[in-house]
Amino acid sequence: SRSGLFISTDEQRPVGTRVYVQLTTRDGQHFLQGEGKVVRSAEGGHAIELVGFDERAQAVLEALVQEALARQA
């Protein structure tokens, strides 16, 4: 989503933990990085809220979400 993601991991982190997130888009055109916060822990991973991404990264994420929603329609 534009505000967060689920990361699969065997590591357990408490809710509220700040994490550093780095993402590369599938086409390799964008490298995004910023701060995230664990908002939910579940078996197999964490839901991460993206709280420290700059405007450019947020615009890229927004475009990716819109593309995904258009494919689903």
Side-chain angles (χ1 to χ4, degrees):
S1 77
R2 52 184 81 88
S3 64
L5 53 102
F6 185 83
I7 297 177
S8 295
T9 180
D10 292 331
E11 292 182 38
Q12 292 299 311
R13 303 276 184 200
V15 170
T17 300
R18 299 286 181 154
V19 294
Y20 186 70
V21 179
Q22 294 180 319
L23 306 168
T24 303
T25 57
R26 288 184 186 183
D27 61 11
Q29 291 185 359
H30 302 282
F31 176 74
L32 310 174
Q33 57 187 352
E35 187 178 16
K37 180 174 71 171
V38 175
V39 293
R40 183 173 48 86
S41 288
E43 187 174 322
H46 306 293
I48 306 293
E49 178 183 10
L50 303 176
V51 295
F53 278 62
D54 64 22
E55 290 180 22
R56 183 191 70 80
Q58 290 174 354
V60 170
L61 290 169
E62 177 69 29
L64 292 170
V65 169
Q66 292 303 319
E67 288 174 23
L69 292 173
R71 283 193 304 269
Q72 289 178 356

